[in-house]
Amino acid sequence: MATSAHQTNIPAALTALVPRLREICGEDGVLTDLSRRRVYESDGLTYHRATPGVVALPTTTAQVAAVVSLCAEHGVPYVPRGAGTGLSAGALPHADGVLLVTSRMRRVVEIDPENECAVVEPGVTNLDITRAAAPHGYYYAPDPSSQQVCSVGGNVAENSGGAHCLKYGFTSGHVRGLEIVTPSGEVVELGGKATGAHGYDLIGAFIGSEGTLGVATRVTVSLTRSPQKTVTLLSAFTSMDAGGEAVGAIIAAGVLPSAIEMMDALAIEAAEAAVACGYPAGAAAVLVVELDGPTSEVDAQVERVTELCAASGSFETRTASGAVERALIWKGRKSAFAAVGRISPAYIVQDGVVPRTALGEVLGRIAALSAESGIRVANVFHAGDGNLHPLVLFDDAEPGAGERAEEVSGAILDLCVEHGGSITGEHGVGVDKACKMPRMYSDDDLTTFDLFRRAFDPAGIANPDKLLPTPRLCGERPGVRTGVHPLVESGQAEQF
Amino acid sequence: MKDLDVEGVTLWKGTEADAVCGVVPDRVARPKDTEALGRLLAAARATGATVTPRGGGTALDWGSPPRSLDLMVDTSALSWIDHNAGDLVVEVGAGTPLAELRRTLADAGQRLSYDPLRVGGTVGGALATGVSGPRRLLAGGLRDLVIGMTLVRADGVVARSGGRVVKNVAGYDLAKLHTGGYGTLGVIASAAFRLHPLPPAVRVVSVPLRSREDTERALADLRATTVVPAAVELDRDRLCVVLEGTAEGLVPRVEETLRALGEDGAEVAEELPEDWGLLPTEGTLARVLAPPAELPGLACDLDADVRGYGSVPAGTLYLAFAPGTPADVVEKRLAAVRHVPDRTAVLLRAEPHVREAGVDPWGEVPGLSLMRAVKDSFDPDHRLSPGRFAGGI
Ligand SMILES: Cc1cc2nc3c(=O)[nH]c(=O)nc-3n(C[C@H](O)[C@H](O)[C@H](O)COP(=O)(O)OP(=O)(O)OC[C@H]3O[C@@H](n4cnc5c(N)ncnc54)[C@H](O)[C@@H]3O)c2cc1C
Ligand SMILES: Cc1cc2nc3c(=O)[nH]c(=O)nc-3n(C[C@H](O)[C@H](O)[C@H](O)COP(=O)(O)OP(=O)(O)OC[C@H]3O[C@@H](n4cnc5c(N)ncnc54)[C@H](O)[C@@H]3O)c2cc1C
């Protein structure tokens, strides 16, 4: 494979590196062939594309360290990549750099029920941890809906959460130890099987750093005891306001569900058309509420939540505790993103956060934005923690429609910031939102972030041009997503 | 030091009463708000003054003595509470007394899920010492509850990370970095936390700490249950399991817990003990981290002059030495912990004779080179509490 003909495509700066990369990762661990490199040209946000200069597929920490050291020695940028499901172009390759893919580091090193933890390599999928822990009565709590595919390394880099993070929190609350390779190629072990470590909380600061502080090569995660009982409720309302009121009432009553999800009429209509989920007819809003824990507590909470929904104007509440019935309730919610793809040729998925008490107001403003612009917006979101995922629909065949949709989508983010929220609750900043960081943070805040980054990466080779705005990056105009995500289409992942 | 006399700051001469591990500050300054704190630190930078912050002053003897201390920053005027009950979020000034925060939240049926409460301690001090108490199993430690922080850098620049919403992945989580930083990276001006509803009822099931084998068996049986404890705490000679929930819902959970722990000598209380989670305020104090399953072994073979406290599932054990314990006894115990792989021990508070004997308070801290790099980035002149932290940072 390593003929010079294949290598002519490789940027000149990298040709000297290739033989050394092959020494480190083996013949099959280095991809130089253009067609094979192209496989990695984007992550889950497919409209940002770049062909990686060269792809390295290490199998051990020592190999990762050697690859990174080589990059450091030559001043070549590198980009870590897990499963490539990220939705902010965090794993967008560098055309003149090395793409360091963890997909061959997939060992579950240890399941340790006595210490209620697991030790895994970064390429292990999120769901594989739960699969390995299940026989012992445990599971891995953070559950991004891409969990069948996404890697633990990616979860660490994005501080991923899932529908159940309302109660169980994000990745950062479940990582006890990290082995990392720093941007200079040094292997550092942080923490271990105890929770916390002495000294600065570098684990806490590394989680969510989007590959800019180094590569996670081994992760020790907490395992959570599977709950005694889980109940899922579906409650239907005649208005979004009434649904929102129920969310506030549940929280105010001191009940902490593991998930509270909400869908509006357009999202329900799409889900109904796609998977016939059989949600109550005439619902302008539905809530999916999940409660888990000891049976004696859950039973009382189910009763309480049912009452609170009724008091807020719910006209029907269904309850399910068996796995099959629960899956039926979740079906509509989980299929919503893909379903919207069927009622619209294209859409943009936004990810923003507002304080829960501002939900009603912000949803009203989004509806007004939609009415003014004539652009439809479907709302499917994590209501319990105010994490909105508005889907902005448009027809990509229509000239200018994409730009108009992009404007609406951007205006929604502005609304989030204006109400004291965040520009991203789970998808991260990556390339996609780097230029939006100044909407949320002052120059002083951003230079402080940069001070921290430089402590790890003084040479600026670790996933450069991500997370923080740079002039090079922010001159470019963002694009739009068209159609349904390929992973969703192929049934490998649910987006919600 | 006249140059430190900036607008919005009250300045006075330091005395013995202001000493940090025996080091008396030349000046003490109390800024009235975040901006004044920014001006003060900018002025300190211009004059090259070394700085140590102080909240309630209850844990100033934690950590090593500063190499130099020109200016003590008193945060007591940075005291305010902005509680948004509907969002279960609160933002507070760093100088706010923890006790006052607790009262305000309790009035609204909420809490910062953090214990214990040291009378006189402030929010900033709790964050800077960064230790988490027993009831961290459900909501996490203090680091997991901080959702945003405003801090003032060594150069006086005011910077914010995070925000006031519980879900937010924009930018680095610098709030976690400063939690447990002993004020060596910046001065915390305010912080935002996520809150939880106060549980309607609490039960504390406790049994006497028995032999190592019996304790290990009891803990294994407890792990096999689904009672969801809020704390599993070694408290001197007892093992305490805290359950939170509704009065009715707790009945079967208490029964199941008793079955796991064994009824022999068991007690069930409906309230936490008065001194819950508090460590002795005198004597040398160490913190050991180890794989959780090894904690019973560590706790059950302590001598009479050392008491153990700690969270079993978190793998944390505090060792409280009787006041006056000789340095070599402390040193031996630390060495015994440190020579086992996967176990680390640091001295949180060393009595002067222990410190003077040169007992290494930190041992080997993994990641120290990165920590130094972070310190150099944030405080290039090493003026913030120099020498207080790991590796002489
Ligand atoms: C259909 C769908 C549904 C989704 N649902 C959710 C959801 O519910 N919640 C949620 O939070 N996210 C969700 N996501 C986003 C995405 O799955 C997560 O961000 C995930 O954690 C990314 O993992 P990955 O392995 O695919 O990472 P990649 O996309 O490969 O990389 C993501 C980032 O992590 C860095 N990185 C990867 N591996 C490492 C490593 N070992 N060390 C250091 N940095 C590394 C990369 O450089 C990049 O910046 C969804 C995505 C899709 C496509
Ligand atoms: C299980 C447990 C047990 C504990 N037991 C004890 C105990 O027995 N005795 C005890 O003294 N403490 C104990 N604590 C620690 C507790 O966190 C502190 O006592 C208290 O909260 C410190 O508050 P303070 O305002 O008095 O801090 P101070 O004593 O004023 O300061 C403590 C440290 O924080 C730094 N600091 C203070 N404010 C700031 C700021 N705004 N920004 C940056 N740095 C700052 C100081 O420089 C100093 O290094 C315990 C904590 C836990 C979790």
Side-chain angles (χ1 to χ4, degrees):
Chain A
M1 290 287 276
T3 64
S4 56
H6 282 106
Q7 294 199 5
T8 49
N9 293 319
I10 294 195
L14 295 178
T15 43
L17 256 64
V18 170
R20 294 188 56 190
L21 286 172
R22 289 198 200 284
E23 274 167 35
I24 297 166
C25 300
E27 286 296 318
D28 57 348
V30 181
L31 309 180
T32 52
D33 199 275
L34 183 62
S35 62
R36 298 187 68 189
R37 283 185 283 138
R38 276 217 177 120
V39 172
Y40 298 94
E41 67 185 359
S42 78
D43 64 6
L45 199 60
T46 50
Y47 56 76
H48 290 283
R49 289 171 194 275
T51 306
V54 57
V55 178
L57 296 147
T59 53
T60 63
T61 300
Q63 291 183 6
V64 174
V67 171
V68 173
S69 298
L70 190 63
C71 290
E73 187 188 314
H74 291 260
V76 166
Y78 72 90
V79 175
R81 176 181 164 116
T85 67
L87 290 174
S88 52
L92 180 74
H94 202 291
D96 297 319
V98 176
L99 187 72
L100 200 158
V101 186
T102 62
S103 59
R104 297 205 303 174
M105 300 177 77
R106 301 186 75 126
R107 259 186 332 132
V108 173
V109 180
E110 187 187 359
I111 296 287
D112 180 351
E114 266 187 40
N115 287 307
E116 305 187 293
C117 66
V119 183
V120 298
E121 292 184 343
V124 168
T125 66
N126 175 295
L127 195 61
D128 275 346
I129 305 178
T130 288
R131 285 201 185 108
H136 304 276
Y138 286 90
Y139 73 110
Y140 179 54
D143 60 340
S145 25
S146 49
Q147 67 179 168
Q148 286 189 39
V149 203
C150 68
S151 73
V152 180
N155 292 174
V156 165
E158 300 285 2
N159 191 16
S160 299
H164 296 87
C165 61
L166 178 60
K167 179 170 177 181
Y168 292 102
F170 322 101
T171 302
S172 70
H174 301 266
V175 173
R176 299 190 196 172
L178 279 181
E179 177 189 77
I180 63 171
V181 172
T182 69
S184 62
E186 193 191 345
V187 180
V188 178
E189 262 188 68
L190 304 169
K193 288 185 175 177
T195 303
H198 296 126
Y200 297 139
D201 184 4
L202 296 181
I203 294 179
F206 188 91
I207 294 173
S209 64
E210 303 190 5
T212 62
L213 304 181
V215 186
T217 46
R218 197 173 268 216
V219 189
T220 304
V221 296
S222 291
L223 298 176
T224 304
R225 191 79 175 82
S226 309
Q228 191 174 18
K229 184 164 189 181
T230 306
V231 177
T232 310
L233 287 87
L234 175 77
S235 198
F237 299 82
T238 49
S239 74
M240 286 290 276
D241 276 354
E245 197 186 302
V247 175
I250 293 167
I251 301 290
V255 179
L256 183 58
S258 52
I260 309 182
E261 304 285 311
M262 194 162 170
M263 288 166 75
D264 71 2
L266 187 52
I268 298 169
E269 179 197 317
E272 211 63 70
V275 297
C277 49
Y279 283 0
V286 295
L287 285 186
V288 175
V289 181
E290 197 150 277
L291 297 155
D292 69 12
T295 306
S296 58
E297 305 284 358
V298 171
D299 288 345
Q301 288 172 352
V302 170
E303 215 171 290
R304 189 93 181 91
V305 169
T306 310
E307 281 164 20
L308 292 167
C309 287
S312 305
S314 162
F315 64 89
E316 184 177 340
T317 298
R318 299 174 190 168
T319 325
S321 47
V324 177
E325 294 86 355
R326 286 179 38 229
L328 266 176
I329 290 185
W330 277 106
K331 189 173 167 192
R333 172 64 186 87
K334 291 193 171 188
S335 68
F337 277 38
V340 165
R342 301 190 185 196
I343 62 166
S344 174
Y347 63 86
I348 301 169
V349 184
Q350 191 46 282
D351 167 42
V353 187
V354 296
R356 190 171 32 228
T357 47
L359 265 179
E361 151 109 20
V362 171
L363 289 170
R365 298 270 298 271
I366 292 176
L369 263 176
S370 169
E372 278 160 30
S373 61
I375 290 173
R376 292 190 297 168
V377 179
N379 284 296
V380 188
F381 58 98
H382 310 299
D385 41 28
N387 188 189
L388 298 173
H389 283 319
L391 308 179
V392 183
L393 316 192
F394 66 99
D395 182 352
D396 50 336
E398 190 187 314
E403 285 74 10
R404 287 198 300 280
E406 189 61 47
E407 260 170 49
V408 170
S409 175
I412 292 174
L413 270 197
D414 287 339
L415 274 177
C416 292
V417 175
E418 197 183 298
H419 285 83
S422 171
I423 57 169
T424 170
E426 55 184 25
H427 295 168
V429 176
V431 171
D432 196 47
K433 287 182 173 166
C435 303
K436 300 199 168 81
M437 286 287 274
R439 295 196 196 177
M440 201 173 144
Y441 292 111
S442 71
D443 282 353
D444 285 342
D445 301 340
L446 294 172
T447 53
T448 306
F449 284 145
D450 198 47
L451 273 181
F452 180 62
R453 181 180 193 154
R454 294 293 157 226
F456 279 73
D457 180 25
I461 59 166
N463 215 1
D465 290 317
K466 311 278 171 71
L467 206 148
L468 293 174
T470 60
R472 198 188 75 78
L473 196 61
C474 299
E476 292 166 12
R477 210 179 52 82
V480 288
R481 150 94 55 90
T482 56
V484 178
H485 191 272
L487 278 177
V488 175
E489 209 158 45
S490 69
Q492 285 190 77
E494 293 148 336
Q495 189 167 45
F496 71 108
Chain B
M1 286 280 151
K2 188 153 190 334
D3 308 339
L4 294 173
D5 198 359
V6 294
E7 195 204 324
V9 173
T10 314
L11 195 66
W12 66 90
K13 187 98 190 99
T15 68
E16 290 290 329
D18 303 309
V20 180
C21 303
V23 183
V24 179
D26 187 47
R27 295 291 154 120
V28 182
R30 183 169 56 226
K32 72 174 172 62
D33 53 24
T34 303
E35 290 66 39
L37 174 59
R39 284 190 293 273
L40 177 66
L41 289 198
R45 181 205 190 177
T47 63
T50 47
V51 175
T52 289
R54 173 179 72 192
T58 66
L60 285 175
D61 54 354
W62 287 35
S64 308
R67 277 194 296 271
S68 152
L69 177 50
D70 300 320
L71 175 69
M72 167 165 276
V73 176
D74 179 307
T75 64
S76 58
L78 306 174
S79 179
W80 47 270
I81 299 176
D82 181 0
H83 181 203
N84 189 336
D87 288 322
L88 286 157
V89 164
V90 72
E91 191 167 358
V92 273
T96 310
L98 280 166
E100 191 182 323
L101 176 62
R102 167 137 93 178
R103 267 195 307 277
T104 304
L105 299 177
D107 286 346
Q110 299 182 357
R111 69 167 179 198
L112 176 62
S113 304
Y114 167 73
D115 51 13
L117 200 67
R118 170 68 55 190
V119 172
T122 63
V123 169
L127 283 167
T129 49
V131 277
S132 286
R135 274 186 298 170
R136 65 169 87 165
L137 302 183
L138 300 182
L142 203 53
R143 77 186 271 280
D144 300 294
L145 299 166
V146 196
I147 54 175
M149 193 180 272
T150 300
L151 43 108
V152 180
R153 287 184 349 206
D155 57 3
V157 169
V158 179
R160 191 173 60 92
S161 114
R164 291 181 52 139
V165 282
V166 295
K167 212 170 173 187
N168 175 15
V169 293
Y172 299 113
D173 197 343
L174 297 186
K176 287 201 172 64
L177 187 70
H178 285 80
T179 302
Y182 281 76
T184 57
L185 294 176
V187 180
I188 302 163
S190 63
F193 298 96
R194 70 176 303 181
L195 304 171
H196 290 88
L198 274 172
V202 175
R203 298 289 179 269
V204 185
V205 182
S206 71
V207 292
L209 200 59
R210 304 186 196 100
S211 69
R212 170 190 172 150
E213 291 73 27
D214 282 356
T215 307
E216 281 174 349
R217 194 173 320 123
L219 287 168
D221 288 348
L222 182 70
R223 277 199 308 274
T225 68
T226 47
V227 296
V228 195
V232 181
E233 183 76 357
L234 287 167
D235 192 356
R236 284 151 286 189
D237 48 2
R238 290 189 83 78
L239 179 64
C240 305
V241 175
V242 178
L243 302 168
E244 298 179 340
T246 56
E248 314 81 69
L250 282 165
V251 176
R253 294 169 69 195
V254 167
E255 284 166 8
E256 208 182 336
T257 305
L258 281 170
R259 269 198 299 279
L261 298 186
E263 311 242 354
D264 195 16
E267 283 170 23
V268 180
E270 305 201 344
E271 261 174 46
L272 291 166
E274 189 99 322
D275 60 349
W276 173 246
L278 284 176
L279 302 169
T281 52
E282 288 185 327
T284 296
L285 188 64
R287 179 172 56 205
V288 173
L289 296 177
E294 295 173 18
L295 240 60
L298 277 162
C300 292
D301 77 25
L302 293 179
D303 316 321
D305 56 352
V306 195
R307 299 181 134 185
Y309 305 72
S311 167
V312 181
T316 304
L317 186 69
Y318 292 93
L319 301 179
F321 294 89
T325 304
D328 61 320
V329 174
V330 173
E331 182 147 45
K332 254 192 224 131
R333 171 112 359 227
L334 291 181
V337 172
R338 286 173 182 162
H339 96 260
V340 180
D342 297 332
R343 293 185 188 173
T344 51
V346 301
L347 280 181
L348 295 175
R349 179 179 57 220
E351 287 191 285
H353 68 271
V354 173
R355 198 188 298 139
E356 280 147 23
V359 177
D360 175 6
W362 289 93
E364 197 185 315
V365 177
L368 193 57
S369 60
L370 282 176
M371 292 178 198
R372 284 190 205 287
V374 170
K375 171 72 173 179
D376 290 344
S377 240
F378 280 96
D379 179 21
D381 310 325
H382 295 200
R383 287 181 304 98
L384 297 183
S385 296
R388 292 272 277 158
F389 205 63
I393 284 176

